[in-house]
PDB file of all heavy atoms in Angstrom:
ATOM      1  N   GLY A 471      -2.583   6.209  -7.958  1.00 81.00           N
ATOM      2  CA  GLY A 471      -3.661   6.525  -7.027  1.00 81.00           C
ATOM      3  C   GLY A 471      -4.381   7.802  -7.384  1.00 81.00           C
ATOM      4  O   GLY A 471      -4.567   8.652  -6.530  1.00 81.00           O
ATOM      5  N   GLN A 472      -4.748   7.953  -8.639  1.00 80.00           N
ATOM      6  CA  GLN A 472      -5.519   9.107  -9.138  1.00 80.00           C
ATOM      7  C   GLN A 472      -4.702  10.394  -9.217  1.00 80.00           C
ATOM      8  O   GLN A 472      -5.256  11.442  -9.521  1.00 80.00           O
ATOM      9  CB  GLN A 472      -6.761   9.394  -8.270  1.00 80.00           C
ATOM     10  CG  GLN A 472      -7.538   8.197  -7.803  1.00 80.00           C
ATOM     11  CD  GLN A 472      -8.417   7.613  -8.858  1.00 80.00           C
ATOM     12  OE1 GLN A 472      -7.930   7.028  -9.820  1.00 80.00           O
ATOM     13  NE2 GLN A 472      -9.707   7.784  -8.733  1.00 80.00           N
ATOM     14  N   ARG A 473      -3.416  10.331  -8.894  1.00 86.00           N
ATOM     15  CA  ARG A 473      -2.617  11.559  -8.846  1.00 86.00           C
ATOM     16  C   ARG A 473      -1.664  11.628 -10.023  1.00 86.00           C
ATOM     17  O   ARG A 473      -1.035  10.621 -10.383  1.00 86.00           O
ATOM     18  CB  ARG A 473      -1.780  11.597  -7.562  1.00 86.00           C
ATOM     19  CG  ARG A 473      -2.600  11.670  -6.299  1.00 86.00           C
ATOM     20  CD  ARG A 473      -3.129  13.058  -6.085  1.00 86.00           C
ATOM     21  NE  ARG A 473      -3.986  13.130  -4.920  1.00 86.00           N
ATOM     22  CZ  ARG A 473      -5.298  12.933  -4.956  1.00 86.00           C
ATOM     23  NH1 ARG A 473      -5.894  12.638  -6.098  1.00 86.00           N
ATOM     24  NH2 ARG A 473      -6.019  13.012  -3.873  1.00 86.00           N
ATOM     25  N   ALA A 474      -1.547  12.812 -10.601  1.00 87.00           N
ATOM     26  CA  ALA A 474      -0.590  13.026 -11.686  1.00 87.00           C
ATOM     27  C   ALA A 474       0.815  12.736 -11.169  1.00 87.00           C
ATOM     28  O   ALA A 474       1.211  13.228 -10.112  1.00 87.00           O
ATOM     29  CB  ALA A 474      -0.690  14.454 -12.188  1.00 87.00           C
ATOM     30  N   THR A 475       1.541  11.918 -11.915  1.00 90.00           N
ATOM     31  CA  THR A 475       2.860  11.462 -11.474  1.00 90.00           C
ATOM     32  C   THR A 475       3.864  11.651 -12.602  1.00 90.00           C
ATOM     33  O   THR A 475       3.584  11.290 -13.740  1.00 90.00           O
ATOM     34  CB  THR A 475       2.781   9.971 -11.076  1.00 90.00           C
ATOM     35  OG1 THR A 475       1.834   9.848 -10.002  1.00 90.00           O
ATOM     36  CG2 THR A 475       4.125   9.433 -10.634  1.00 90.00           C
ATOM     37  N   TYR A 476       4.987  12.250 -12.295  1.00 91.00           N
ATOM     38  CA  TYR A 476       5.988  12.592 -13.299  1.00 91.00           C
ATOM     39  C   TYR A 476       7.310  11.943 -12.917  1.00 91.00           C
ATOM     40  O   TYR A 476       7.698  11.983 -11.744  1.00 91.00           O
ATOM     41  CB  TYR A 476       6.168  14.114 -13.378  1.00 91.00           C
ATOM     42  CG  TYR A 476       4.877  14.857 -13.627  1.00 91.00           C
ATOM     43  CD1 TYR A 476       4.056  15.231 -12.576  1.00 91.00           C
ATOM     44  CD2 TYR A 476       4.467  15.157 -14.934  1.00 91.00           C
ATOM     45  CE1 TYR A 476       2.862  15.908 -12.802  1.00 91.00           C
ATOM     46  CE2 TYR A 476       3.281  15.828 -15.168  1.00 91.00           C
ATOM     47  CZ  TYR A 476       2.479  16.200 -14.086  1.00 91.00           C
ATOM     48  OH  TYR A 476       1.303  16.865 -14.322  1.00 91.00           O
ATOM     49  N   TYR A 477       7.989  11.356 -13.915  1.00 92.00           N
ATOM     50  CA  TYR A 477       9.268  10.708 -13.588  1.00 92.00           C
ATOM     51  C   TYR A 477      10.108  10.542 -14.839  1.00 92.00           C
ATOM     52  O   TYR A 477       9.595  10.577 -15.964  1.00 92.00           O
ATOM     53  CB  TYR A 477       9.022   9.348 -12.924  1.00 92.00           C
ATOM     54  CG  TYR A 477       8.397   8.330 -13.842  1.00 92.00           C
ATOM     55  CD1 TYR A 477       9.167   7.324 -14.426  1.00 92.00           C
ATOM     56  CD2 TYR A 477       7.036   8.379 -14.143  1.00 92.00           C
ATOM     57  CE1 TYR A 477       8.592   6.392 -15.278  1.00 92.00           C
ATOM     58  CE2 TYR A 477       6.460   7.456 -14.996  1.00 92.00           C
ATOM     59  CZ  TYR A 477       7.244   6.456 -15.556  1.00 92.00           C
ATOM     60  OH  TYR A 477       6.676   5.552 -16.411  1.00 92.00           O
ATOM     61  N   CYS A 478      11.388  10.346 -14.620  1.00 93.00           N
ATOM     62  CA  CYS A 478      12.297  10.054 -15.730  1.00 93.00           C
ATOM     63  C   CYS A 478      12.476   8.550 -15.816  1.00 93.00           C
ATOM     64  O   CYS A 478      12.952   7.931 -14.864  1.00 93.00           O
ATOM     65  CB  CYS A 478      13.652  10.719 -15.512  1.00 93.00           C
ATOM     66  SG  CYS A 478      14.854  10.164 -16.755  1.00 93.00           S
ATOM     67  N   PRO A 479      12.098   7.935 -16.950  1.00 92.00           N
ATOM     68  CA  PRO A 479      12.160   6.470 -17.046  1.00 92.00           C
ATOM     69  C   PRO A 479      13.602   5.946 -17.033  1.00 92.00           C
ATOM     70  O   PRO A 479      13.811   4.776 -16.725  1.00 92.00           O
ATOM     71  CB  PRO A 479      11.479   6.169 -18.389  1.00 92.00           C
ATOM     72  CG  PRO A 479      11.547   7.447 -19.160  1.00 92.00           C
ATOM     73  CD  PRO A 479      11.553   8.564 -18.149  1.00 92.00           C
ATOM     74  N   ARG A 480      14.566   6.803 -17.332  1.00 94.00           N
ATOM     75  CA  ARG A 480      15.953   6.335 -17.316  1.00 94.00           C
ATOM     76  C   ARG A 480      16.591   6.522 -15.934  1.00 94.00           C
ATOM     77  O   ARG A 480      17.283   5.638 -15.449  1.00 94.00           O
ATOM     78  CB  ARG A 480      16.783   7.066 -18.377  1.00 94.00           C
ATOM     79  CG  ARG A 480      18.208   6.537 -18.472  1.00 94.00           C
ATOM     80  CD  ARG A 480      19.020   7.255 -19.517  1.00 94.00           C
ATOM     81  NE  ARG A 480      18.541   6.958 -20.871  1.00 94.00           N
ATOM     82  CZ  ARG A 480      18.985   7.583 -21.950  1.00 94.00           C
ATOM     83  NH1 ARG A 480      19.891   8.553 -21.848  1.00 94.00           N
ATOM     84  NH2 ARG A 480      18.523   7.272 -23.156  1.00 94.00           N
ATOM     85  N   CYS A 481      16.356   7.681 -15.337  1.00 95.00           N
ATOM     86  CA  CYS A 481      17.017   7.969 -14.056  1.00 95.00           C
ATOM     87  C   CYS A 481      16.332   7.305 -12.867  1.00 95.00           C
ATOM     88  O   CYS A 481      16.925   7.154 -11.805  1.00 95.00           O
ATOM     89  CB  CYS A 481      17.069   9.475 -13.812  1.00 95.00           C
ATOM     90  SG  CYS A 481      18.070  10.381 -15.004  1.00 95.00           S
ATOM     91  N   GLN A 482      15.053   6.956 -13.029  1.00 95.00           N
ATOM     92  CA  GLN A 482      14.304   6.396 -11.894  1.00 95.00           C
ATOM     93  C   GLN A 482      13.944   4.948 -12.172  1.00 95.00           C
ATOM     94  O   GLN A 482      13.132   4.668 -13.048  1.00 95.00           O
ATOM     95  CB  GLN A 482      13.056   7.240 -11.622  1.00 95.00           C
ATOM     96  CG  GLN A 482      13.389   8.657 -11.168  1.00 95.00           C
ATOM     97  CD  GLN A 482      12.162   9.530 -11.025  1.00 95.00           C
ATOM     98  OE1 GLN A 482      11.889  10.362 -11.876  1.00 95.00           O
ATOM     99  NE2 GLN A 482      11.422   9.357  -9.943  1.00 95.00           N
TER     100      GLN A 482
END
Side-chain angles (χ1 to χ4, degrees):
Chain A
Q472 319 282 70
R473 295 283 177 270
T475 300
Y476 305 87
Y477 67 102
C478 172
R480 184 180 292 172
C481 296
Q482 295 175 257

